[in-house]
Amino acid sequence: MSLDAKIPTGPLEQKWDNHRFHTKLVNPANRRKFEIIVVGTGLAGASAAASLGEMGYNVKAFCLQDSPRRAHSIAAQGGINAAKNYPNDGDSVHRLFYDTIKGGDFRAREANVHRLAQVSNSIIDQCVAQGVPFGREYGGSLSNRSFGGAQVSRTFYSRGQTGQQLLLGAYGALMRQAASGQVKIFPRREMLDLVVVDGRARGIVCRNMVDGKIESHAGHAVLLCTGGYGNVFYLSTNAASCNVTATWRAHKRGAFFGNPCFTQIHPTCIPVAGAQQSKLTLMSESLRNDGRVWVPKTAGDNRSPSQIPESERDYYLERRYPSFGNLVPRDVASRAAKAVIDEKKGVGPTGLAVYLDFADSIKRLGADVIRERYGNLFDMYAHITAEDPYQTPMRIYPAVHYAMGGLWVDYNLMTTVPGLFCLGEANFSDHGANRLGASALMQGLADGYFVIPYTLGGYLASGGIPSVGADHAAFRDAEKAVEEQTRRLLAVQGRRTAADFHRQLGLLLWDKCGMARNEAGLKDLLSRIPGIREEFWQNVKVAGQKESFNQALERAGRVADFLEFAELLVRDALERRESCGGHFREEFQTPDNEARRDDKNFAHAAAWEYRGDGQDPMRHAEPLTFEAVSLAQRSYQ
Amino acid sequence: MSGDMRFTLKVWRQKNAAEMGRFEIYEAKGVSPDMSLFEMLDAVNEDLILKGEDPIAFDHDCREGICGTCGSVINGQPHGPETGTTTCQVFMRLFKAGDTITIEPFRAKAFPVVKDLIVDRSAFDRIIAAGGYVSVGTGAAPEANTLPVPKEKSELAMDAAACIGCGACVAACPNAAAMLFVGAKISHLGLLPQGQPERDRRSIALRRAMDREGFGNCTNHAECEAACPKEIKMRNIARFNRDYLKASFLSEE
Ligand code: FES
């Protein structure tokens, strides 16, 4: 099978407009004849379900939380980018496009990224109209802040709760459709399989998490908006329920998986404190606007920060990257932290941390200004660590945060399974090998509000989709497979919990496939993961019953999928013999330790095809051609 | 850094909505002060699973105080003894080693128990569906800076919009009223120019939805404000009452 990205012809700036004009439309009277299944109600899913409902499609929206308002988008803190150029500092659609392509280390598709930049302004308009309380200036206009990887101020924000406010906006739009009956909401449902009939996605099988019953839902198209797989590393900034199950099961039904090795390690998280720790907490990147990152110049210097004089501190980001300073992109900042920690200059009780110091800003601006900008983040930090960041520098450490990889999609956001679309973090499309701050919210909402309403219509209007109900035999088969897996999980009755296996897998991955990777380590992982998986199926212990509320069973199912997916992630990391963005292969670096890309051999997206259990997956490549930008060694110096 | 604190946990166990619940006693060992209450419960649950017993079901997701999924009553207080905190942000350094800690679900008629510490808060979704939004379709928005919003207003709107929909206000209220939750939404949208066209309709619709769901009435106990993890203020209730009265007088229905 060959990959066709369906990139429209014509000049980059006109591709999206031309494509919208040439895409077939479904007339309003016909839209109500279509049933659309949307899985996930984060920014991408809620905005898609609401917009499609408004257009007159019959939508069923599924989420595993108790309410669609709780998806993990809600945790995004810092902001959302747009090319409004309100500060008059030189921003434009083209600059946002360029920064995003460059930030992604030239591993994203130009046409998609340009479209993202083009619709970014409409997103802000939409959210303001919904009543999202963005930060404002005294004159009443919208306020902007700077974020990593950009030299303009283009980030809109609602204090440190931007994701929450944007999601509540989309949730409101969704509930309006729910009230009108256009969207039916199914909370506490976990998608466990995709149903494909005659080569097209025709529905899902899910588990009702309250009573454990397996349900089938049929439709004319399925949209997966199920977020990222960062939790494969066990410890991450992701919410507990974030998982790979929906996309992984779709992968096993024919959807290619794009660039699974592109994972983002976020530089500013609260360091790990103990072995029982269940999650890592992010401190928004916006803190780097006013905080200075440093470590002691001498290895092993364990004086308290206040005793280390200015001359004995190494502000290593400012030193190494004078023009971007503390605002270098996330991958660069994380790697720089790792470098000083490897030199034993790390701070705090574990030595696995660097300082993020606000003393200068507090002196310059006063504590009140800092409190106004970051008050809730400072409180959160103080609460978790029992230290006061107004008095003493924060300690931060990189942590897994975001998945750039995801299901491969074409320009229409359709996967390699016709009728199966994938939106938001769950797809692989716009961020290449590294995502810039404040771009995840932008992409989720772009996909849901402004892309899928057009491209889904194009698919439906092209015809040839016979009616298929949930009584079709393919649904019975999928239900049986799901029941069988549940039965097996409960039947093992071994001696280790699913969480225990998850922890084991995650630590291994973090160690050998985290901030830095090399061939020997990756090969070692590939030889060990199958053994862990095998032991899982012989020795896992899942308590409780099938047909009941059973969180142990939910967890075990997700861990089982992580154990399969992890192998693909590692394989992808091994095959990509270059360093780019968040994928740092130690063998491929410049003399000053920056990522060295190999554009001759790897200027492509990898898309993996599943070929059956026990078979090696097949790697396909979608060549990336760059017309509007010239490939350059990324430099933030 | 595993710790050496021990606690006795008195936890509400209830199989499902239909069956009666009861308290069960568990011992938590090896607890460190930097652990969260949930990390302690994780450890207790691991042991229960290995013993083949049903682990304690509790709702949680972000574990950083923003998603509103978690919510239990700890030692009689929704979200525990500290103010401005969600249950997931309760750390064990708050307790003295050897303490007995009581953990039970939010209790309110409108929030039936699903299992153990988990309750059904879908009534909140239905209230929002009744009109807790601005009715603007995708694509119908004017340019974002068209309507200036005074900074003070937008900050006040944000204070109210910070509500995470956890339901602690209801659990804390002797009448199980949802006034703080609804008042926060009314204030958030009512303070912004974008919320004006539907302001009257909204207060009437949300009031009715709230009554329909079986929430009680506000009699000014202020327990909701004390329990709110986002420190949403009672004056949002006053604003709601004002809006509602005004809307009812003007109502032509
Ligand atoms: S788990 Fe999200 S607020 Fe507590």
Side-chain angles (χ1 to χ4, degrees), chain B residues 109 127 156 161 193 195 241 248:
Chain B
K109 188 169 123 228
I127 291 177
L156 279 177
N241 283 331
S248 333

Side-chain angles (χ1 to χ4, degrees), chain B residues 41-105:
Chain B
L41 281 183
D42 288 342
V44 170
N45 274 344
E46 294 285 279
D47 286 347
L48 288 175
I49 292 173
L50 291 177
K51 283 195 272 180
E53 290 174 38
D54 208 15
I56 302 159
F58 62 97
D59 255 337
H60 64 97
D61 204 14
C62 73
R63 294 198 174 193
E64 54 187 70
I66 191 70
C67 71
T69 307
C70 65
S72 299
V73 177
I74 320 278
N75 289 343
Q77 283 171 289
H79 290 312
E82 264 181 317
T83 57
T85 310
T86 52
T87 307
C88 62
Q89 292 289 291
V90 171
F91 286 85
M92 296 314 293
R93 66 176 82 94
L94 225 62
F95 302 94
K96 270 206 327 287
D99 279 0
T100 296
I101 304 172
T102 308
I103 311 174
E104 55 194 314

Side-chain angles (χ1 to χ4, degrees), chain A residues 527-546:
Chain A
S527 72
R528 283 156 77 171
I529 294 172
I532 304 176
R533 199 165 56 227
E534 213 165 289
E535 196 202 329
F536 175 87
W537 284 105
Q538 280 162 12
N539 199 19
V540 74
K541 172 103 179 179
V542 184
Q545 276 91 45
K546 182 167 69 133

Side-chain angles (χ1 to χ4, degrees), chain A residues 51 54 65-70 74-75 77 84 86 124-126 128-134 136-142 158-159 161 164-165 168 171-173 175-176 179 188 210 237 239-242 273-282 372 380 382-386 449-450 495-497 499-500 503 541-545 548-549 551-552, chain B residues 1-2 15 30 34-35 39 42-43 46 49-64 66-69 82 85 89-91 93 114-115 118-119 121 124-126 128-129 132-145 147-152 154-155 157-159 161-166 181 185 188-189 192 194:
Chain A
S51 304
E54 288 163 10
Q65 295 84 359
D66 70 321
S67 159
R69 65 178 290 154
R70 307 204 196 280
I74 209 161
Q77 297 168 351
K84 287 281 194 187
Y86 288 154
I124 302 302
D125 299 343
Q126 190 65 34
V128 167
Q130 289 169 344
V132 169
F134 282 119
R136 295 200 174 245
E137 305 295 342
Y138 280 106
S141 58
L142 291 153
S158 297
R159 294 193 189 144
Q161 289 130 278
Q164 176 197 33
Q165 293 309 314
L168 292 181
Y171 161 76
M175 295 320 281
R176 183 165 79 104
R188 293 206 198 266
V210 176
T237 64
S241 67
C242 294
Q276 306 282 2
Q277 191 146 342
S278 58
K279 86 151 285 165
L280 295 171
T281 301
L282 176 79
E372 194 197 321
M380 186 155 88
H383 194 91
I384 293 175
T385 63
Y449 284 136
F450 296 112
R495 278 194 289 272
R496 290 179 62 190
T497 62
D500 193 23
R503 199 177 297 125
K541 172 103 179 179
V542 184
Q545 276 91 45
S548 70
F549 199 106
Q551 292 174 313
Chain B
M1 215 198 321
S2 201
K15 226 172 158 188
D34 287 333
M35 270 166 92
E39 284 162 358
D42 288 342
E46 294 285 279
I49 292 173
L50 291 177
K51 283 195 272 180
E53 290 174 38
D54 208 15
I56 302 159
F58 62 97
D59 255 337
H60 64 97
D61 204 14
C62 73
R63 294 198 174 193
E64 54 187 70
I66 191 70
C67 71
T69 307
E82 264 181 317
T85 310
Q89 292 289 291
V90 171
F91 286 85
R93 66 176 82 94
V114 174
K115 182 176 181 181
I118 298 180
V119 297
R121 290 166 293 189
F124 272 9
D125 288 325
R126 290 187 292 274
I128 296 297
Y133 41 73
V134 174
S135 300
V136 54
T138 302
E143 206 286 328
N145 259 344
L147 279 176
V149 181
K151 187 175 164 71
E152 297 78 9
S154 95
E155 294 293 326
M158 181 62 217
D159 288 344
C163 166
I164 57 175
C166 63
F181 170 75
K185 187 47 70 185
H188 158 208
L189 297 174
L192 295 172
Q194 290 81 5

